Amino acid sequence: MGWQKQILRVNLTTGEIKKEPLIMDWAQDYLGGRGLATKYLWEGMDPSTDPMSPDNMLIFATGPLTGTMAATGGRYTVVTKGPLTNAIACSNSGGKFGAELKFAGYDMLILEGRSVKPVYLVIIDDKVELKDAADYWGTTVWHTEETLKEVHKDPQIKVASIGVAGEQGVKYACIVNDLHRAAGRSGVGAVMGSKHLKAIAVRGTQGVSVDKPKVFMQAATETKASLEDDGGRKSLTKYGTNAMIDTMNEFGGLPTDNFRSVQFEGTENINPAAMVRPNANGHVNLITNKACFGCTIACGRIAHIDQTHFSVRDRKEYWHASGGLEYETAYALGPVVGIDDIDALTFAGYLMNEHGMDPISFGVTLAAAMELYDLGIIDKQTTGGLDLSFGNAEALTTCAELTGKQEGFGVELGLGAKLLCQKYGRPELAMVVKGQEFAGYDSRALQGMGLGYATSNRGACHLKHDVFAEDMDDQTGAGKAQPCKTSQDKIAMVDSTGACLFTMSAWDTGEFQLLVDSACEGGSDGTWDNERLLLTGERIWNLERRFNLSAGLTRADDTLPPRLLKEPAPSGVAEGRVSALDTMLPEYYSLRGWTAEGVPTESTLNRLGLS
Amino acid sequence: MNPKQLVLDADKCTSCLQCEMACSLEHEGLFNPARSRIKVFEFEHGKRSIPYTCTQCEEAWCMKACPTDAISINATLGTKVVDESKCVGCKVCTMACPYGTINYNSSTGKVNKCNLCDGDPQCVSACPTGAITFA
């Protein structure tokens, strides 16, 4: 109850498909989703495994709230070792795929090995088959998803698939489900490609039960109401996540031109107001907002591109509606590459979804290439004739397509910023942590964010901590370590329930206690109390850390690029400041119960049951 | 006075499927959109999301077609209601319905349709956007 108590294990080398009981002791310690999948990864695989080898495990995990009426209860997490970072990867996605997997009867899907030839996996309740994917290999995510629904004659089938980027090992290839939702970061799509697995098509008609339905429904109704009344929720519904772009620009935390600047003068052309403002042709970018499964927020944007725009003028196949700009796509296809052409950004966003690539990593890699071009380190001979000047919208859309198809200069862009900059002898220009590119928040203006980036187990990531309120109030590093640590633990717990972390503007652990207690077997009033939920999150965080340490990462990987540590912010509230990471990090290690080298002490491991 | 009806406003629907879960919980006892009497259909990458269920139409072809008289009208609510003890699962009603809103349930061997939850439609209270109202 809450859990389906069954997982599916597929060995792509042998073709063996096994249904196994979920190990309930682990579920009681790690909940589900991110945490439970991390435990299975830790127990099932040597952390030093090459991410692209058959020995890497690729895990799709739902949580106890996935597929229930808990608001936003539709999430799943992909956990594996990521090729972008050589560290643990954990990428969360919405849409309807995760709930469908659970409705088919599985908490988790574990993929191991490597198929000789390309295959796809079909899960229709208890009927599970591997099928030849020769007709799909080399095609896009959109083609694959739409064709699989036709071939299997069921529009309700949900599909998670990769594009050519994933097939060919682009370091930041993602897994896309429901056309425009993605397990986006750390190259989980490249791992799927390395297994020669093109897609997973799933249809579930078994349903999901909770342990105490009446209590659960009361909790679901109450928590839905508190979310409805929340100001943060209202903003997400109305403006989407892109509301952040104006805030960050005014604040001076909006990374621009590969972090040379922190404010972008073209913001007004790509912000939420621009998305609803008719252009000279009367075209309005935004069509509507859209929810993931069970979500009462509906922050997703559905947009379309002006048909007269250079990018699609002669390409009618892109005139349809699809996923529109969110804050991170707007930032990474906009300010960080100096571009304010809303149609170019929207089109590049389409290409990210169609070809299966993480827009954050793509954009920041292109930004690094643009700086190399600006410095004269690469030129048109290197780029195949492309003018990579900051602000060139045609370069953005061309590079997005070349990278998605792995042609021309797109092959180099597929390396990610770290390897690209290393190749040209300027590693310091890669705006990454542990090889993963930054999201749209500058660590000089948002100091706690910088600490979160540096210590995130999957490399630079804005979604694994929340020090936002403290960062807006104060631009020093003081008092940031504690909220960083606490929020990391809390989010690790939320990511393991199957709910979305965007509920957290309204919900705290109390709300999760109500939902998890009533959904889960073994829960009763207060079983999953504040202390246990936070301890679960802390256990997950430390297990991820242990995985990374065993994979060979060290304290030296908990750092930021020299630009953020040495070059003062040129404007904004933090003008003149650099990141205070050197003072925040030792305080953080100490709060975590880790040694000065960032290693969990024996007593910390004992306290968390990880010895 | 005409009985109250479900009013479905597709412009407000975000395709969150809270209605499908509320419906399946009410009628099946678990969260199972595959067994929901109300369905949300999505078009063009989510450009349109359209909730749809039985309109309790006056013609009631399902009722007229049923060979075992398993479908009757609830006079108060105006709903067309399936008596499972009489339904033999022949599926004639599913072919007769012009809207596709009466469906065969392979696990029970009977047909399912919306009965407005006997006057308190659960999809209405579950909908977060006001796309489904009862008036």
Side-chain angles (χ1 to χ4, degrees):
Chain A
M1 297 292 204
W3 298 284
Q4 298 289 48
K5 297 195 199 171
Q6 180 174 243
I7 68 168
L8 189 59
R9 191 184 293 268
V10 178
N11 186 313
L12 292 153
T13 305
T14 64
E16 188 187 14
I17 294 167
K18 273 198 302 190
K19 288 157 195 160
E20 299 174 4
L22 177 68
I23 299 173
M24 288 309 294
D25 284 350
W26 293 359
Q28 293 291 347
D29 281 347
Y30 293 90
L31 272 172
R34 172 179 167 186
L36 193 55
T38 299
K39 176 67 173 171
Y40 271 83
L41 188 78
W42 172 254
E43 297 292 341
M45 177 182 130
D46 176 355
S48 66
T49 302
D50 174 356
M52 300 295 275
S53 86
D55 293 335
N56 195 6
M57 291 165 70
L58 179 67
I59 305 177
F60 291 68
T62 68
L65 300 182
T66 308
T68 74
M69 241 170 123
T72 79
R75 312 293 301 185
Y76 76 96
T77 304
V78 176
V79 172
T80 186
K81 186 174 177 185
L84 187 66
T85 53
N86 282 305
I88 194 164
C90 104
S91 292
N92 188 289
S93 182
K96 292 177 176 150
F97 177 84
E100 200 73 23
L101 179 65
K102 190 140 171 217
F103 291 138
Y106 310 100
D107 295 303
M108 203 183 284
L109 164 64
I110 299 179
L111 298 149
E112 300 166 329
R114 173 187 292 154
S115 173
V116 174
K117 55 179 190 179
V119 290
Y120 69 96
L121 183 69
V122 188
I123 304 168
I124 299 177
D125 293 322
D126 54 358
K127 192 177 159 209
V128 186
E129 280 180 286
L130 284 167
K131 288 185 169 284
D132 188 348
D135 290 347
Y136 304 93
W137 204 253
T139 70
T140 67
V141 162
W142 289 354
H143 172 85
T144 301
E145 182 165 335
E146 285 167 350
T147 311
L148 281 174
K149 289 183 184 196
E150 284 175 24
V151 166
H152 290 277
K153 301 184 188 299
D154 185 353
Q156 296 293 343
I157 278 180
K158 309 299 186 291
V159 177
S161 68
I162 57 169
V164 170
E167 294 172 16
Q168 300 205 10
V170 167
K171 294 282 184 190
Y172 46 83
C174 58
I175 298 170
V176 179
N177 60 278
D178 302 280
L179 299 171
H180 44 71
R181 310 317 306 171
R185 303 222 68 195
S186 312
V188 295
V191 175
M192 189 155 150
S194 76
K195 301 197 168 303
H196 296 159
L197 180 66
K198 179 69 179 176
I200 301 159
V202 57
R203 179 76 174 115
T205 67
Q206 309 293 301
V208 167
S209 302
V210 287
D211 197 53
K212 292 162 280 292
K214 278 191 181 148
V215 187
F216 179 81
M217 282 310 294
Q218 192 180 343
T221 305
E222 277 173 21
T223 50
K224 223 163 94 173
S226 69
L227 190 57
E228 186 179 359
D229 294 338
D230 178 67
R233 193 285 302 165
K234 287 176 185 168
S235 172
L236 282 169
T237 304
K238 187 168 181 187
Y239 303 112
T241 56
N242 199 21
M244 187 59 80
I245 203 163
D246 290 313
T247 311
M248 274 305 106
N249 187 46
E250 284 160 26
F251 194 64
L254 179 59
T256 301
D257 295 351
N258 202 33
F259 292 68
R260 283 172 163 177
S261 306
V262 290
Q263 289 175 309
F264 181 55
E265 58 187 27
T267 300
E268 64 182 18
N269 298 322
I270 54 173
N271 63 7
M275 290 171 76
V276 296
R277 188 169 58 227
N279 69 7
N281 302 321
H283 175 85
V284 176
N285 180 267
L286 184 71
I287 297 173
T288 187
N289 66 325
K290 171 120 173 41
C292 294
F293 183 93
C295 178
T296 57
I297 305 173
C299 72
R301 305 288 103 176
I302 301 296
H304 59 165
I305 304 160
D306 184 341
Q307 295 171 8
T308 66
H309 188 258
F310 76 82
S311 60
V312 299
R313 200 165 40 219
D314 302 317
R315 304 180 78 177
K316 212 174 170 178
E317 67 271 27
Y318 291 106
W319 290 3
H320 62 78
S322 193
L325 294 180
E326 301 177 12
Y327 176 55
E328 291 302 334
T329 41
Y331 138 78
L333 306 173
V336 86
V337 284
I339 296 166
D340 66 352
D341 175 339
I342 193 168
D343 288 296
L345 266 64
T346 306
F347 179 55
Y350 274 33
L351 294 171
M352 293 297 122
N353 292 327
E354 186 186 21
H355 295 291
M357 295 184 290
D358 170 13
I360 302 178
S361 286
F362 166 78
V364 177
T365 303
L366 180 60
M370 284 178 161
E371 185 160 357
L372 291 167
Y373 186 85
D374 186 60
L375 295 170
I377 296 161
I378 62 173
D379 55 22
K380 281 192 175 170
Q381 209 170 344
T382 328
T383 65
L386 293 169
D387 170 10
L388 286 195
S389 301
F390 282 112
N392 182 353
E394 288 190 52
L396 168 72
T397 56
T398 305
C399 285
E401 193 144 17
L402 288 173
T403 308
K405 293 178 173 173
Q406 281 298 277
E407 294 170 358
F409 189 63
V411 176
E412 298 211 3
L413 290 171
L415 294 170
K418 179 183 165 185
L419 294 182
L420 181 79
C421 292
Q422 269 176 10
K423 178 173 177 178
Y424 291 104
R426 297 296 297 271
E428 76 282 5
L429 299 181
M431 301 309 293
V432 301
V433 174
K434 301 181 175 72
Q436 178 156 288
E437 293 77 4
F438 284 109
Y441 303 89
D442 193 286
S443 308
R444 293 165 290 193
L446 295 106
Q447 295 283 342
M449 178 68 79
L451 177 63
Y453 281 141
T455 55
S456 159
N457 290 316
R458 72 165 181 177
C461 172
H462 60 300
L463 296 171
K464 300 287 185 253
H465 56 268
D466 180 6
V467 199
F468 191 76
E470 292 83 353
D471 278 345
M472 295 301 279
D473 284 348
D474 168 72
Q475 280 72 60
T476 75
K480 302 295 166 69
Q482 182 67 62
C484 183
K485 184 237 174 227
T486 307
S487 61
Q488 285 174 336
D489 295 345
K490 204 179 284 185
I491 289 173
M493 176 275 292
V494 173
D495 283 347
S496 304
T497 62
C500 177
L501 66 87
F502 285 179
T503 55
M504 292 175 74
S505 69
W507 297 357
D508 208 328
T509 39
E511 280 78 3
F512 284 96
Q513 177 182 335
L514 291 174
L515 292 166
V516 173
D517 250 358
S518 52
C520 291
E521 187 177 288
S524 60
D525 284 344
T527 303
W528 284 94
D529 62 8
N530 185 57
E531 193 183 349
R532 181 174 176 196
L533 287 168
L534 285 178
L535 197 70
T536 302
E538 190 176 5
R539 181 180 300 125
I540 295 163
W541 190 272
N542 278 270
L543 190 60
E544 291 174 340
R545 178 77 178 182
R546 285 189 85 189
F547 183 97
N548 282 352
L549 294 170
S550 300
L553 277 75
T554 67
R555 180 192 202 284
D557 295 294
D558 295 343
T559 189
L560 297 170
R563 174 158 290 164
L564 305 177
L565 296 173
K566 292 177 186 160
E567 294 177 26
S571 67
V573 292
E575 185 174 348
R577 283 189 195 279
V578 296
S579 167
L581 183 68
D582 57 344
T583 59
M584 292 186 286
L585 194 62
E587 185 187 352
Y588 170 88
Y589 282 174
S590 162
L591 287 168
R592 277 238 167 265
W594 295 355
T595 68
E597 290 304 304
V599 179
T601 62
E602 205 52 43
S603 70
T604 299
L605 294 176
N606 280 334
R607 183 169 59 79
L608 299 169
L610 289 173
S611 308
Chain B
M1 196 178 101
N2 286 331
K4 289 209 279 188
Q5 294 182 316
L6 281 183
V7 181
L8 306 172
D9 182 350
D11 286 342
K12 290 182 178 166
C13 178
T14 62
S15 191
C16 72
L17 309 193
Q18 284 273 337
C19 57
E20 296 193 8
M21 283 187 285
C23 179
S24 57
L25 181 68
E26 174 72 13
H27 298 288
E28 306 283 333
L30 78 176
F31 302 115
N32 191 359
R35 297 268 178 266
S36 173
R37 278 74 166 148
I38 187 166
K39 299 277 184 199
V40 177
F41 297 89
E42 270 185 45
F43 297 91
E44 199 185 317
H45 288 228
K47 180 181 178 179
R48 294 281 281 170
S49 301
I50 302 180
Y52 201 64
T53 189
C54 175
T55 60
Q56 315 296 344
C57 68
E58 283 186 21
E59 291 81 0
W61 281 104
C62 60
M63 188 172 77
K64 290 175 185 167
C66 179
T68 65
D69 295 328
I71 302 175
S72 60
I73 298 179
N74 175 313
T76 320
L77 296 168
T79 47
K80 282 74 192 174
V81 185
V82 180
D83 180 345
E84 288 209 353
S85 68
K86 289 186 183 169
C87 175
V88 294
C90 73
K91 306 180 202 167
V92 169
C93 59
T94 68
M95 288 179 271
C97 173
Y99 307 105
T101 52
I102 183 162
N103 291 294
Y104 180 70
N105 180 340
S106 56
S107 59
T108 59
K110 312 284 180 184
V111 293
N112 299 142
K113 70 181 290 299
C114 171
N115 68 351
L116 296 177
C117 299
D118 297 327
D120 181 19
Q122 295 300 300
C123 52
V124 173
S125 44
C127 179
T129 65
I132 311 172
T133 49
F134 192 50

